[in-house]
Amino acid sequence: MSGMTTAAAADSEKRSPGRPRSARSEQAIIDAVLEMIADGDALETISIESIAARAGVGKATIYRRWASRDQVVIDAVASMKLPIPEVAGESVRADLITLMSQIGQPNGARSGKVMTCILPQIARNPDLHEWYQQVIEPRRAVTRAVLRRGIDTGELRADLDVEVVLLVLTAPMILQRTMRWNPALDGPDLAERVVAAVLTGAAPPA
């Protein structure tokens, strides 16, 4: 929506068929926030006024849906999260590969850039960090359940530190997908390789 004037956006909403006007306005607001973050704007500089101007809507349109600037930003970033995939429950290895494969995967062309820009801000903003924990905990809970099931079935060692294994599985996926830490690891088999490496140490003694 960048570059679109308020008048042009309003005219577009009047003429565009299909999607309801409220839904189009909401998407324009979400897009505006993500574009500003991707452009490098610090979160503290993003305001309701700047979001409204970028989206081509009035401030009242934003306040009808969100009570504050922070809620708009949180919903905008959360909109990039892919749904947690369902696991088959047949093997720990297969389930972990399914879960890890989605971590850091781009949901739209700008998502990687947005996450690269916002992660440092999450680290230094306690409110954002608390929100980020709420966003990622459901995925952690599913992965945690897979690991605990593996302990129960004997696929994983009984003394496994589940929380550390969660970290060891997730961190390289995020680092590689957001920062391309090692271009040699780019490829569709990254999750499989990470899971294989971790399970070598997590497997029970022969």
Side-chain angles (χ1 to χ4, degrees), residues 12-24:
S12 175
E13 286 194 358
K14 289 177 184 177
R15 292 183 288 102
S16 298
R19 200 171 195 185
R21 178 173 178 172
S22 60
R24 294 198 304 272

Side-chain angles (χ1 to χ4, degrees), residues 124-190:
R124 65 175 182 262
N125 184 316
D127 291 336
L128 274 177
H129 187 265
E130 181 180 352
W131 160 79
Y132 179 66
Q133 293 300 310
Q134 295 172 6
V135 169
I136 64 176
E137 178 55 28
R139 188 179 301 271
R140 278 197 304 229
V142 173
T143 309
R144 191 181 290 121
V146 170
L147 293 172
R148 287 175 176 162
R149 190 188 76 228
I151 294 172
D152 292 340
T153 61
E155 295 172 80
L156 303 177
R157 56 195 303 163
D159 62 347
L160 190 70
D161 189 327
V162 170
E163 298 305 319
V164 169
V165 172
L166 271 171
L167 174 65
V168 175
L169 284 166
T170 305
M173 298 301 303
I174 294 175
L175 184 62
Q176 184 64 25
R177 290 269 171 78
T178 60
M179 303 298 294
R180 290 194 68 213
W181 183 77
N182 182 355
L185 292 175
D186 287 344
D189 63 343
L190 176 62

Side-chain angles (χ1 to χ4, degrees), residues 20 50-51 58 66 84 89 91 97 99 109 113-114 119 147 160 167-169 181-182 185 195-196:
S50 63
I51 296 170
W66 292 278
I84 301 172
S91 80
I97 291 172
L99 292 166
K113 191 172 182 180
V114 169
L119 283 175
L147 293 172
L160 190 70
L167 174 65
V168 175
L169 284 166
W181 183 77
N182 182 355
L185 292 175
V195 169

Side-chain angles (χ1 to χ4, degrees), residues 19 30-31 38 45 72 90 105 107 111 113 120 128 132 151 171:
R19 200 171 195 185
I30 293 294
D31 286 342
T45 70
V72 186
E90 296 175 356
Q105 285 284 24
N107 183 13
S111 63
K113 191 172 182 180
L128 274 177
Y132 179 66
I151 294 172

